Amino acid sequence: MKIICIGRNYAAHIEELKNEKPGKPVVFLKPDTALLKAGAPFFYPDFSENIHHEIELVLKISKEGKYIQPQFANRYFEEIGLGIDFTARDLQDQCKAKGLPWEIAKAFNGSAPIGDFKPASAFADLKDIDFHLEINGELRQKGNTSLMLFDFATIISYVSQFFTLKKGDLIYTGTPAGVGPVKVGDRLTGFIGTEKMLDFEVK
């Protein structure tokens, strides 16, 4: 399986990182070795001193497809979950400054914690889903799908022009404002609405 990630999908997050607003989805990949499942702890890597949390809604692809039209995109996922896109911000800044790819800052081992999933049918409106991240019980990030620059259907349609989507693939759909560093000892809990979907510790 593959992990497809969407960057710069919330305007306020773009502003806080002083990035340019994209005309099309910004896409990057993580390998399956980035996945961190079942509440396993995240071990802070020794190659970075500035790991940032980015809470994101995650789509689990349910059938194979390519060149998917937006009006049919919702047929290709049946579950929505919550995950973290950990970013080694110091490495990313170094790579960007040199005009280099920044996979090492995004795709390292354990950089994609994944929590529980809910049936997509459980949501009354896919364009009105609240989610948030707490660290040590304190609210750090809060988002709603209504604030996305590119909605689920647009994301699936766009990425499927380049990559054949297969059952089990995960799409991380972008993070809202409020990203920031984590430290050893932090406990991260993520919620969709009021339901806890993600819970793990940084060690």
Side-chain angles (χ1 to χ4, degrees):
M1 56 79 63
K2 55 188 174 290
I3 304 168
I4 300 168
C5 302
I6 305 300
R8 304 181 189 178
N9 201 20
Y10 288 81
H13 173 58
I14 295 170
E15 292 171 6
E16 74 179 347
L17 294 187
K18 297 179 173 59
N19 287 323
E20 182 179 341
K21 187 175 179 180
K24 297 178 180 179
V26 175
V27 180
F28 60 94
L29 303 179
K30 295 189 185 224
D32 59 358
T33 48
L35 276 183
L36 197 63
K37 302 178 181 179
F42 171 74
F43 290 95
Y44 206 108
D46 58 9
F47 53 72
S48 174
E49 296 180 351
N50 193 20
I51 300 290
H52 279 206
H53 58 79
E54 300 187 9
I55 190 75
E56 313 200 4
L57 291 173
V58 182
L59 307 179
K60 183 186 290 186
I61 298 301
S62 57
K63 67 177 182 177
E64 185 170 319
K66 58 183 177 180
Y67 300 108
I68 299 165
Q69 296 304 305
Q71 64 267 34
F72 303 124
N74 287 352
R75 300 178 183 178
Y76 288 84
F77 68 95
E78 297 176 354
E79 295 177 272
I80 300 172
L82 201 62
I84 298 281
D85 167 21
F86 272 134
T87 305
R89 196 70 72 198
D90 44 1
L91 295 187
Q92 187 184 43
D93 289 344
Q94 292 167 21
C95 291
K96 282 183 174 181
K98 297 177 181 178
L100 298 174
W102 31 262
E103 273 78 5
I104 60 170
K106 284 282 194 179
F108 54 88
N109 291 338
S111 63
I114 190 75
D116 296 330
F117 284 83
K118 294 180 64 172
S121 59
F123 297 94
D125 185 355
L126 296 181
K127 294 185 178 182
D128 184 21
I129 300 175
D130 284 316
F131 63 103
H132 71 274
L133 173 69
E134 296 178 3
I135 299 183
N136 306 323
E138 177 185 338
L139 179 65
R140 291 293 182 87
Q141 286 186 269
K142 185 177 181 179
N144 182 283
T145 50
S146 64
L147 301 174
M148 285 180 163
L149 299 182
F150 308 105
D151 63 14
F152 293 159
T154 301
I155 290 169
I156 287 175
S157 178
Y158 183 76
V159 300
S160 73
Q161 312 304 307
F162 305 95
F163 312 114
T164 297
L165 297 178
K166 293 190 173 183
K167 185 176 181 179
D169 286 350
L170 300 176
I171 301 180
Y172 280 60
T173 59
T175 195
V179 303
V182 296
K183 64 182 185 302
V184 173
D186 282 345
R187 185 159 210 95
L188 281 68
T189 49
F191 298 79
I192 296 180
T194 59
E195 185 174 353
K196 185 188 294 185
M197 306 291 288
L198 182 71
D199 186 3
F200 67 97
E201 187 177 356
V202 179
K203 292 189 175 180

